[in-house]
Amino acid sequence: MAGGNAIRGTRVGAGPMGESERGETAPRERIAYYCASGHVTAPSFASGAEIPELWDCPRCGLPAGRDIEHPPAPPRTEPYKTHLAYVKERRSDADGAAILEEALGRLRASREL
């Protein structure tokens, strides 16, 4: 008598994988998406589902659209900006000089006391 374990060599979920056990699958449709690199991807969606306008290309990561003639343009990457660069966008040199002079005036006034 070998073993004694009747389910030896099986695992949970093992067995016939037919629709009789899992139920009917939902009707599906494949939608093609095209990226700017020329890749085509066709994910499947349930027939009644809302289809997104954009899909990320699994090969290059660029956004892909449903129009083969006019795929979406690659996103523009902004270079890293320092805090000073953001301040210079909001204030002119004259504003900066006025704020500096005001701060220096307060500092000089506090030293005189």
Side-chain angles (χ1 to χ4, degrees):
M1 189 157 243
N5 190 352
I7 59 171
R8 184 171 178 222
T10 62
R11 64 179 190 274
V12 174
M17 296 297 287
E19 289 187 1
S20 62
E21 281 190 15
R22 292 183 283 144
E24 294 287 323
T25 57
R28 300 199 161 272
E29 58 183 304
R30 294 185 79 74
I31 305 295
Y33 288 92
Y34 308 94
C35 74
S37 298
H39 303 133
V40 180
T41 184
S44 63
F45 296 95
S47 292
E50 184 178 331
I51 308 297
E53 288 298 317
L54 295 178
W55 194 261
D56 289 338
C57 177
R59 292 181 70 192
C60 64
L62 293 175
R66 293 167 50 189
D67 184 6
I68 190 169
E69 298 296 324
H70 302 91
R76 214 174 125 231
T77 56
E78 295 285 328
Y80 175 75
K81 290 185 183 178
T82 63
H83 177 70
L84 182 59
Y86 283 111
V87 170
K88 286 184 176 183
E89 283 181 0
R90 291 191 315 262
R91 308 236 188 241
S92 67
D93 288 341
D95 290 341
I99 292 171
L100 177 63
E101 192 57 43
E102 179 184 329
L104 289 174
R106 282 196 311 260
L107 182 63
R108 288 180 185 127
S110 68
R111 286 188 173 189
E112 290 177 359
L113 293 177

